[in-house]
Amino acid sequence: MQVKVKEIGAAGLNLDFSYTLEELPVLAKMQGTADLKFVTPVECEIRLSKIAQMVEVCGSARVTVALQCSRCLADLSSELQVEFKQTYVEELPDVIDEAGGEVELSAEEMGLILFDGENIDLSDEIQQQIVLAIPSRPLCEEECKGLCLTCGRNLNMAVCNCNDRNINMHFASLLDFKVDK
Ligand SMILES: [Zn+2]
Ligand SMILES: [Zn+2]
């Protein structure tokens, strides 16, 4: 999605649009490597305003992802919603320090994004925000009991005796130790 800056009027510009995964290579690549799948297009609502030589963009994006619970491996889906605000500039403003000298700062250090003055590409920003919103350890529910490390049973569905047995074996080995001595 390229926004032409000359289409932003004095009252600003509101845009509703969606990206398919093919238009978002960072997310497409993630889907290929991680255990997740984007199941809806990325729906965006964006507002752009021109302020002097700057373009301020604020908006939100949402997408549903299918993930696996990090404890019990159950499938789950999660709606990610992100909000963001960015300022795009054609040229970086001069920054003067207290002594009157010019300070060299990158666009990133100033919290600005450079663009060519004509078109703003919002896909980088939106992809970045969505990547940050993906939970690193998704859970089917806060209290998920996970899988038994011994028998692999899903402890949300059934109980197993592995834990008891482990404790018994532990005592048994202590007894053996005493006998050997
Ligand atoms: Zn779970
Ligand atoms: Zn078990």
Side-chain angles (χ1 to χ4, degrees), residues 42-63:
V42 179
E43 309 277 354
C44 307
E45 277 178 46
I46 307 290
R47 177 168 173 78
L48 299 106
S49 349
K50 240 194 292 201
I51 302 164
Q53 297 304 307
M54 301 188 294
V55 177
E56 200 179 79
V57 177
C58 61
S60 63
R62 64 174 198 276
V63 63

Side-chain angles (χ1 to χ4, degrees), residues 3 42 58-60 74 85 102 109 121 127 138-139 169 181:
V3 181
V42 179
C58 61
S60 63
K85 193 170 182 178
E102 212 168 292
E109 285 167 324
D121 185 351
Q127 293 187 95
L139 291 177
M169 278 164 63
K181 208 175 172 187

Side-chain angles (χ1 to χ4, degrees), residues 147-153 155 159-163 165:
L147 301 178
C148 171
L149 294 175
T150 310
C151 71
R153 205 168 288 177
L155 299 175
V159 262
C160 63
N161 302 318
C162 298
N163 256 337
R165 210 176 303 149

Side-chain angles (χ1 to χ4, degrees), residues 16 24 27 44 48 60 82 96 120 156-158 166 171 175:
D16 282 6
L24 302 172
L27 300 190
C44 307
L48 299 106
S60 63
V82 297
I96 309 293
I120 290 180
N156 299 309
M157 319 264 209
N166 287 345
F171 279 122
L175 289 172

